[in-house]
Amino acid sequence: MDSIVVTGNGPLNGEIPIAGAKNACLALMPATLLSEEPLILTNAPRLSDIATMTVLLQSLGADAASLQNDKVLALSSHDLTSTRADYDIVRKMRASNLVLGPLLARAGHAEVSLPGGCAIGARPMDIHIDGLEKLGAVIDLKDGYLHAKAPGGLKGAVIDLAFPSVGATENLMMAATLAKGSTVISNAAREPEIVDLARCLNAMGAQIEGAGTDRIEIQGVDRLGGATHRVVTDRIELGTYMLAPVIAGGDVECLGGTLDLVASFVDKLAEAGVSVEETGRGLRVRHDGGRVRAVDVTTEVFPGFPTDLQAQMMALLTTAQGVSTLHETIFENRFMHAPELVRMGAEIEVQGGTARVTGVERLKGAPVMATDLRASVSLILAGLAAEGETVVSRVYHLDRGYEHVVRKLSGVGAKIERVKGT
Ligand code: EPZ
């Protein structure tokens, strides 16, 4: 297994291009299953999760090709040959469950493996299932698979989500586009990835209003056409790289970033004493490398502080002036990076969903292990300012959500390299 070696090397300077959003692309790709016409996605990120979704779509009979250095995805599901999402693919990536709604709407039936356990939490699908049943589907669990059918087609309904789940909102919004009549999803998720998906579906001929608010209305149509859609910027990659010059000092411009994508995060940085500048090309962060002020962070659904930036923020707060607390409210087990940061000399106490971080002068490099996607990049960020060398192992987690990490960080002066595993 490959590892990444980072050596604290002083301030970072330059530009980092931010890619298209993994979590938008993983919802946009299954939208091809709703139509017989081609769907072209531009500004696609080059990630192992995107490759896994490509394999899944191909296993259903869709054509899925990546062009122009993987920046463009050409998708078409004119002839579906299967409606079964196999366990062997789904267990690699939970987002595979986003084919359930589109398959049910298009083919009237689907067999989708339940994803199984996840490092950061139980992550059940009850809200997805409840919503699809409200749209008239009959869903049984057999041999680890959800068997869903709607022989007469789906019918519009009013669905009040028990929690504003991102995945459930995406699955139900896609299913409702071809349902008879109108659907209202209330207490819907408001993440930018939902807005991006609705924008693409409307370009395909859907009738969706209210995406980005907690009430989404969908007027079902008989069929959807094709479209060309540019994937929205990855706000989590953006936030991650904005923290690099704060942790190591320096002046970095994140190209393609916009404030609306990361407003609550930028507010938290301001509280810690760090300002962010909009440049017209992106977001610029300058910091003298001094210790920031301790702050309290509570993760929330959008537009609150994103859970996917919690680990990276913890890496910063390990050297803050004072004591910070981080409350993780979205996932029940998302502090696995804490003991690894403690190996680097951080002072962190975790109790349930709360981590108490007492800032130290400086971290020390150490061998550490990645446990999930965001935990892995938080260890790399911590290594940027640590004394000596940090060796992060199990970086396959990182490849799922960050393209060209070594190239992007060394491009602004970081001392970082990838070491091939034996
Ligand atoms: C999406 O996951 C993202 N993944 C996650 O990013 C992100 O952390 C999460 O939204 C929250 O923002 C993708 O978009 C592919 P949820 P999703 O359904 O859709 C509970 C990353 O690092 N819940 O909003 O799975 C669930 O257990 C990943 O890129 C139910 O109880 O998240 C969790 O506690 C990690 N029942 C909470 O809701 C359900 O049916 C939020 O889950 C569905 C969810």
Side-chain angles (χ1 to χ4, degrees):
M1 267 185 277
D2 292 7
S3 55
I4 287 186
V5 181
V6 194
T7 308
N9 188 38
L12 307 174
N13 293 292
E15 304 165 351
I16 298 182
I18 304 301
K22 166 182 83 82
N23 290 345
C25 208
L26 289 176
L28 290 161
M29 293 172 75
T32 188
L33 300 169
L34 292 164
S35 167
E36 295 180 1
E37 312 292 326
L39 173 62
I40 310 293
L41 299 176
T42 64
N43 194 36
R46 187 166 190 222
L47 304 167
S48 61
D49 271 7
I50 301 301
T52 304
M53 185 60 86
T54 301
V55 169
L56 175 59
L57 293 176
Q58 288 166 339
S59 76
L60 302 171
D63 294 328
S66 36
L67 314 167
Q68 293 173 24
N69 220 2
D70 297 342
K71 281 273 165 245
V72 174
L73 293 169
L75 309 169
S76 160
S77 61
H78 192 276
D79 309 306
L80 283 184
T81 54
S82 165
T83 57
R84 182 183 170 88
D86 208 71
Y87 175 64
D88 270 347
I89 303 176
V90 176
R91 70 184 169 79
K92 291 198 193 101
M93 182 185 69
R94 326 181 53 75
S96 308
N97 63 22
L98 293 172
V99 301
L100 178 59
L103 283 174
L104 201 46
R106 167 90 181 271
H109 59 87
E111 301 76 43
V112 174
S113 169
L114 269 182
C118 169
I120 63 177
R123 303 180 77 177
M125 285 187 64
D126 55 322
I127 303 174
H128 301 240
I129 295 166
D130 179 61
L132 290 169
E133 286 175 341
K134 290 214 168 77
L135 291 173
V138 176
I139 302 180
D140 297 309
L141 174 62
K142 205 159 55 63
D143 311 326
Y145 281 76
L146 294 173
H147 292 258
K149 48 184 188 289
L154 297 172
K155 296 181 185 54
V158 174
I159 307 168
D160 184 19
L161 301 186
F163 180 87
S165 151
V166 173
T169 303
E170 292 166 337
N171 241 332
L172 297 171
M173 192 164 71
M174 287 194 273
T177 56
L178 295 177
K180 287 191 191 52
S182 67
T183 296
V184 174
I185 305 174
S186 59
N187 197 27
R190 302 165 53 188
E191 274 68 5
E193 295 75 32
I194 308 271
V195 176
D196 202 45
L197 177 61
R199 202 180 290 136
C200 177
L201 292 168
N202 281 345
M204 294 167 73
Q207 293 180 20
I208 302 172
E209 285 175 11
T213 75
D214 60 5
R215 184 187 163 83
I216 301 176
E217 293 191 31
I218 305 117
Q219 184 57 48
V221 296
D222 293 340
R223 61 180 298 280
L224 291 179
T228 296
H229 177 82
R230 181 183 162 79
V231 180
V232 70
T233 297
D234 193 318
R235 63 194 169 98
I236 306 301
E237 189 194 28
L238 171 62
T240 301
Y241 288 123
M242 287 167 69
L243 281 170
V246 185
I247 289 178
D251 178 353
V252 170
E253 187 177 5
C254 296
L255 304 179
T258 54
L259 266 183
D260 59 321
L261 290 172
V262 283
S264 57
F265 169 69
V266 168
D267 292 347
K268 203 43 79 175
L269 285 183
E271 229 181 281
V274 178
S275 60
V276 172
E277 185 194 330
E278 267 191 298
T279 64
R281 298 192 312 160
L283 298 180
R284 184 177 182 184
V285 181
R286 282 180 272 191
H287 190 61
D288 63 7
R291 297 171 67 187
V292 300
R293 280 196 293 273
V295 293
D296 295 336
V297 175
T298 299
T299 64
E300 295 169 280
V301 295
F302 194 88
F305 190 98
T307 173
D308 296 346
L309 284 174
Q310 177 259 99
Q312 300 91 315
M313 195 68 184
M314 185 186 278
L316 170 67
L317 297 174
T318 57
T319 57
Q321 295 269 16
V323 178
S324 309
T325 55
L326 292 115
H327 303 286
E328 175 55 59
T329 71
I330 306 295
F331 292 106
E332 59 274 27
N333 185 32
R334 202 169 202 182
F335 284 136
M336 298 226 280
H337 39 284
E340 300 300 317
L341 290 168
V342 168
R343 287 178 50 71
M344 298 175 71
E347 284 182 28
I348 307 171
E349 289 158 52
V350 173
Q351 270 189 334
T354 299
R356 196 167 177 278
V357 183
T358 306
V360 298
E361 190 64 43
R362 189 168 185 203
L363 296 181
K364 292 192 181 50
V368 288
M369 190 163 65
T371 47
D372 61 73
L373 167 59
R374 307 304 171 182
S376 57
V377 84
S378 80
L379 300 175
I380 288 179
L381 287 177
L384 291 173
E387 212 175 299
E389 210 175 72
T390 299
V391 182
V392 184
S393 60
R394 297 189 178 193
V395 290
Y396 55 83
H397 287 291
L398 196 74
D399 298 336
R400 301 187 56 176
Y402 291 90
E403 59 169 29
H404 311 311
V405 172
V406 170
R407 189 196 303 171
K408 288 188 179 184
L409 285 172
S410 51
V412 292
K415 196 158 182 269
I416 181 168
E417 60 173 322
R418 187 171 182 124
V419 179
K420 283 257 158 270
T422 48

